């Protein structure tokens, strides 16, 4: 998944500055070596274990295979160091040792571009270097042809390495383990200033060498991306991971390259893939909030509609979870869900005897009828028992700033009751009068 995201970033997001920074080659080689490392670290440790002498290095199993991989992947500095050491080995033929030193020097001189250098200047340096590589390849080939009787494995391997540096497609294809290796090495040694637009023609030539059933889902997605075939690329991403397709689609929308997909898809691609990702989160016990936030990213009527529907279906099995859902509803202005959830919570609290909390939920959505019914229950309990016990409930409700006639009546009646009980008859009378004048008492009080 990272390989796809990283390559997409290189092709469509890498900053284009004057000069060689427009070349995709260094970025592609970096991508290749990060996501498909080669040669392996184990190979490198085995070859270089114990800081071997030139002769010890020459005897290491797999040495030449390792050096060819270094060349394919553009690790020319490491290649140059090892070839320089081999140039001093007594186990190599005189010709092989001499050419090992020569190719080491050539590898070190390989031109590298920079933002400060113009493309023309770099191309001139590259042309001189490439000519030197070609001359070296011709010389080594002539040496091998002149002595066909004796087989010099080291010299043959050096010829293969210099052919890779020359950019010979057949040699690169034969020595590459991955189709991505071929694309990278061909660009690196033949077209070092190639831009992203060169990728489709190059990848098609390379892919033709492979059977289609040899390609994985990842391979097919990468090929589509290199071909700039975005309508093919997006569905392949969704087969790999819904997170990937949703974020790629979102990024495509932001950098305005989604139009070609919109012409092919029957639905909005960005919304489609975000909704697909949300489905994987919404049913999860701990990730449902993430799913709702992704739905909020849709910013379309359909996305908000789906979001509201899901919000109302989330099981409210704890106060904490209920508050989280309500915060989401408030954040995204989901009024229908917000109202329905508060009413649902209010009824739950009422059934459980948490009357203050019930009033609090009803007040959030202006459900005055339900508030009156809860207050009537408190009043009925007082009339039935003669014990005025609702004081803490009313105090808690009033602390929230709620203003409701029935709540205010219960509060004032509680104050009247306490004053009367304390023989503060004048104050009790004033409170009772204010209740009667304001007409906040229920008709059955």
């Amino acid at each position: 998944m990272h390989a796809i995201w990283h390559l997409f970033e290189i092709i469509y997001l890498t900053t284009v500055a004057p000069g060689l920074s427009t070349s995709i080659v260094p970025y592609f080689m970096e991508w290749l070596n990060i996501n498909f490392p080669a040669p392996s670290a184990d190979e490198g440790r085995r070859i270089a274990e114990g800081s071997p002498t030139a002769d010890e290095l020459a005897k290491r199993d797999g040495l030449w295979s390792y050096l060819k991989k270094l060349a394919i992947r553009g690790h020319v500095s490491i290649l140059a160091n090892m070839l320089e050491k081999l140039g001093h080995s007594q186990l190599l033929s005189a010709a092989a040792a001499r050419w090992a030193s020569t190719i080491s020097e050539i590898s070190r001189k390989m031109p590298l571009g920079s933002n400060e250098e113009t493309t023309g200047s770099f191309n001139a340096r590259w042309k001189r270097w490439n000519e030197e590589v070609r001359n070296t390849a011709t010389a080594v080939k002539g040496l091998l042809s002149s002595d066909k009787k004796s087989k010099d494995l080291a010299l043959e391997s050096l010829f293969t390495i210099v052919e890779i540096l020359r950019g010979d497609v057949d040699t690169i294809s034969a020595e590459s383990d991955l189709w991505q290796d071929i694309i990278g090495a061909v660009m690196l040694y033949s077209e070092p200033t190639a831009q992203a637009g060169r990728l489709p023609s190059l990848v098609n030539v390379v892919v033709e060498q492979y059977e289609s059933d040899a390609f994985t889902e990842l391979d097919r997605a990468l090929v589509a991306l290199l071909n700039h075939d975005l309508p093919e690329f997006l569905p392949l991403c969704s087969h790999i991971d819904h997170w990937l397709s949703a974020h790629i689609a979102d990024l495509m929308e932001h950098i305005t390259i989604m139009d070609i997909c919109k012409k092919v898809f029957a639905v909005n691609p960005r919304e489609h893939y975000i909704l697909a990702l949300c489905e994987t989160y919404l049913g999860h016990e701990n990730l449902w909030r993430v799913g709702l936030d992704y739905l909020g990213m849709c910013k379309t009527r359909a996305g908000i509609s789906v979001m509201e529907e899901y919000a109302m279906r989330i099981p409210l099995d704890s106060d904490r979870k209920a508050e989280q859902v309500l915060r989401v509803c408030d954040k995204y202005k989901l009024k229908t869900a917000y109202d329905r959830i508060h009413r649902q919570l209010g009824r739950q609290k009422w059934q459980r005897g948490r009357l203050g909390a019930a009033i609090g939920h009803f007040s959030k959505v202006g459900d005055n009828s339900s508030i009156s019914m809860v207050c009537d229950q408190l009043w009925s309990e007082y009339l039935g028992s003669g014990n005025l016990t609702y004081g803490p409930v009313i105090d808690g409700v009033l602390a929230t700033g709620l203003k409701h006639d029935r709540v205010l009546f219960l509060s004032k009646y509680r104050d009247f009751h306490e004053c009367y009980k304390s023989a503060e008859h004048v104050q009790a009378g004033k409170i009772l009068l204010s209740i009667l004048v304001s007409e906040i008492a229920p008709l059955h009080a």
Side-chain angles (χ1 to χ4, degrees), residues 389-405:
T389 58
Y390 60 72
V393 174
I394 294 302
D395 287 339
V397 171
L398 290 173
T400 66
L402 173 66
K403 294 181 179 179
H404 187 278
D405 285 352

Side-chain angles (χ1 to χ4, degrees), residues 308-341:
E308 193 149 42
E309 182 65 29
Y310 269 111
M312 290 187 290
R313 285 162 44 189
I314 295 173
L316 305 177
D317 43 25
S318 70
D319 287 347
R320 181 174 176 273
K321 190 172 183 179
E323 286 301 317
Q324 288 178 322
V325 176
L326 287 168
R327 279 198 295 270
V328 171
C329 293
D330 184 54
K331 177 179 179 180
Y332 295 106
K333 311 303 179 188
L334 308 178
K335 188 176 186 310
T336 301
Y338 184 83
D339 287 1
R340 185 175 297 182
I341 291 170

Side-chain angles (χ1 to χ4, degrees), residues 8 45 129 214 231 238 240 314 327 343 346:
F8 183 90
R45 282 191 290 268
W129 179 80
S238 70
I240 294 170
I314 295 173
R327 279 198 295 270
R343 292 176 196 276

